Amino acid sequence: GLQKTVSNYVSGFVLIFEESMRPGDVITVGETFGVVQELNSRHVVVRTGDGMDVLIPNEELVTNRITSWSYGDRDVRVRIPVHISHDNNPEQALALLEEIGKSETRALKSPAPQALVTGLMDNGVALELGVWVNDPEKGIAELRSRLNRKIWREFKIAGITFPSPQHVVAVETAPERPARKQKPR
């Protein structure tokens, strides 16, 4: 236990002197996403979008991979994957996606929202809407949800359909066997 405590203190000094993390930074460590509130000698306090404060041991921050959403630049791209049926016009869908992205209040004007064709799949065309935001501390789950709701609503109005998985079930019957003759007893 003492070895872990010393390791956390030393790691705390490394974090402070390197300035690799500061209060206000938005980070993801494992499953924890939130804003760094405090750097302490043994742990860092991260406030999640649910209002919980998570105490992360400094050693974990020095030895594991951390995603910083705000270290060098607060601009972050949020990607929204969308699939449409082969029967739809991808150009119409791309234009509509970009329009939806531009209507989002959190989306930056520059770089502008961009829609791309990312693949031609068995059951449809894979598209992606990318929007840039500069407030990652507000999280992206609610933004994704709002954009997905707008996409669903606008695609319905435009008659753009989403592919449904197609399952083909083949039923084969066994060939008839000749009836067995019963032996008299």
Side-chain angles (χ1 to χ4, degrees):
L2 184 60
Q3 187 177 9
K4 283 285 188 190
T5 302
V6 171
S7 177
N8 281 316
Y9 275 115
V10 171
S11 297
F13 289 120
V14 169
L15 289 172
I16 291 168
F17 288 121
E18 279 188 347
E19 294 185 357
S20 56
M21 194 173 306
R22 301 172 293 281
D25 281 351
V26 181
I27 63 170
T28 301
V29 181
E31 297 294 314
T32 303
F33 170 83
V35 180
V36 175
Q37 299 295 307
E38 302 174 25
L39 284 98
N40 296 305
S41 56
R42 290 188 316 126
H43 63 271
V44 169
V45 180
V46 176
R47 171 142 313 202
T48 69
D50 296 328
M52 296 184 294
D53 289 331
V54 179
L55 308 178
I56 302 173
N58 289 333
E59 179 186 31
E60 195 174 320
L61 297 169
V62 171
T63 58
N64 293 331
R65 179 181 291 212
I66 300 167
T67 301
S68 178
W69 296 69
S70 58
Y71 179 72
D73 187 353
R74 299 188 62 75
D75 293 355
V76 176
R77 182 169 55 179
V78 178
R79 298 171 187 221
I80 311 293
V82 179
H83 289 86
I84 61 171
S85 299
H86 284 290
D87 299 334
N88 300 137
N89 178 351
E91 296 300 328
Q92 177 192 14
L94 291 170
L96 194 51
L97 284 172
E98 288 183 357
E99 193 176 302
I100 291 166
K102 289 174 185 172
S103 75
E104 172 54 45
T105 56
R106 284 183 61 195
L108 298 177
K109 303 285 183 242
S110 178
Q114 183 180 31
L116 303 167
V117 174
T118 58
L120 303 173
M121 316 306 271
D122 292 344
N123 62 345
V125 180
L127 309 176
E128 180 181 276
L129 171 62
V131 296
W132 288 85
V133 297
N134 64 359
D135 53 2
E137 67 279 356
K138 290 185 178 178
I140 57 172
E142 190 268 335
L143 173 63
R144 278 195 175 133
S145 176
R146 191 168 52 245
L147 286 169
N148 278 318
R149 289 191 323 261
K150 285 180 183 179
I151 291 167
W152 182 84
R153 185 173 48 250
E154 295 301 322
F155 276 25
K156 278 277 200 204
I157 292 168
I160 298 171
T161 57
F162 301 104
S164 298
Q166 303 295 315
H167 300 284
V168 176
V169 177
V171 179
E172 294 183 19
T173 57
E176 286 191 35
R177 292 188 197 178
R180 289 172 108 182
K181 293 183 183 179
Q182 291 187 344
K183 296 181 185 177
R185 288 191 186 206

